[in-house]
Amino acid sequence: MGAVQVGGPHRARVMTEEIARHDALDVAAVDGFDALGVHAVVTTRSGGVSIGPYASLNLGGQVGDDPNSVAENRARLAAQMGVAPDALVIANQVHGAAVAVVRRGDEPGDVDVLLTTDPSIALCVLVADCVPAVLVDPIAGVLAVAHAGWRGVAAATMRAAIEGARTLGAEPARCYAYLGPCISPRGYEVGEEVARAFAAVGCGDDVVADGPGRYRADLAAACRRQLLACGVPTRHVTTSSSSTDGGQLFFSDRARRPCGRFAIASRLEGRS
């Protein structure tokens, strides 16, 4: 994992994704967010109780794993985030651009973007090749997480996240975003349908031809492009240096089916 420079009004700092053991979980702590009032982590496959293709920290409840194992894994993540298990908010992701603003006790429903101003909860999206994202306006105290595969790019999920954040007082120019580990263009061969969908939303440059009817799609670049188009400053957008290719450190649906799901989780800190 690598490090990149983050700038803006909060004094330039290095944002790192170093794997470390925290409360029995091997997670990548996104350290650059701490100065922005956010605790954010990316889980790995390690530290849970699931077995077989879901070993060991599967957090997905609809992939065929034992529900009791999933519940224990989620409880461990909640503890790492400093919240009770019922305060770990996970949506039913449907590869769209619907947004839910949530507080403690809310049921988000079928959405791919979660937003909050409530520091008592931790927001979470689950992935296994798609892009997991955290966005924050540290001035307004608005936090979002989002999930986007190619259908999310086509639906402009990142734009929906920014527009949703604006309804809570956020401004794109103040927002910071982190795009977590996802499948790389090398590992993501797609067909004409995906190429056309990317082109239709202004992300045609993020799909490269690789033979007749075959393309390589860059999900992270497309999500980044959509954030910048919304007015998020270039230097405020960090893209992970890691990928899900191979399914060794992170679950990958392309590498193995069935498989588990890893998470990006985040929580506002330092606000009453």
Side-chain angles (χ1 to χ4, degrees):
M1 294 191 144
V4 294
Q5 195 72 24
V6 177
H10 291 264
R11 193 166 61 85
R13 63 187 63 84
V14 173
M15 185 173 288
T16 61
E17 318 167 276
E18 297 300 328
I19 297 292
R21 179 59 60 107
H22 294 278
D23 295 330
L25 299 186
D26 289 336
V27 301
V30 188
D31 295 330
F33 271 114
D34 55 359
L36 303 177
V38 173
H39 174 48
V41 302
V42 180
T43 64
T44 68
R45 295 189 59 161
S46 300
V49 299
S50 295
I51 60 175
Y54 311 107
S56 66
L57 190 67
N58 167 48
L59 298 160
Q62 298 179 340
V63 294
D65 194 6
D66 178 0
N68 292 325
S69 296
V70 176
E72 172 60 23
N73 292 340
R74 290 184 176 186
R76 293 184 181 193
L77 176 58
Q80 204 287 324
M81 298 302 296
V83 299
D86 65 353
L88 185 68
V89 182
I90 303 174
N92 179 31
Q93 297 163 197
V94 292
H95 295 278
V99 175
V101 178
V102 292
R103 296 187 64 83
R104 184 73 179 266
D106 291 344
E107 291 291 336
D110 295 343
V111 300
D112 288 271
V113 179
L114 295 172
L115 283 148
T116 197
T117 57
D118 183 356
S120 74
I121 62 176
L123 304 181
C124 184
V125 289
L126 306 179
V127 292
D129 286 333
C130 295
V131 177
V134 178
L135 303 95
V136 63
D137 178 338
I139 304 302
V142 177
L143 177 68
V145 294
H147 152 267
W150 77 261
R151 290 181 176 84
V153 170
T157 301
M158 294 302 154
R159 182 175 66 196
I162 292 296
E163 291 175 351
R166 292 187 70 172
T167 68
L168 297 177
E171 291 294 336
R174 297 195 306 242
C175 287
Y176 289 77
Y178 167 76
L179 304 176
C182 67
I183 195 165
S184 75
R186 181 178 60 186
Y188 195 34
E189 182 179 288
V190 299
E192 294 280 359
E193 179 185 14
V194 175
R196 289 194 298 268
F198 271 49
V201 291
C203 297
D205 288 345
D206 301 313
V207 182
V208 177
D210 188 34
R214 300 196 309 272
Y215 301 84
R216 299 287 173 177
D218 192 334
L219 288 176
C223 289
R224 178 184 179 89
R225 185 183 301 276
Q226 292 184 341
L227 289 171
L228 300 184
C230 291
V232 180
T234 300
R235 61 185 179 177
H236 288 195
V237 182
T238 299
T239 301
S240 173
S241 59
S242 298
S243 78
T244 57
D245 295 10
Q248 300 302 311
L249 183 59
F250 304 102
F251 290 109
S252 170
D253 183 64
R254 284 249 165 165
R256 181 175 184 179
R257 295 179 182 177
C259 75
R261 297 294 184 268
F262 70 95
I264 195 166
S266 61
R267 179 188 181 190
L268 290 166
E269 294 185 325
R271 289 176 177 266
S272 59

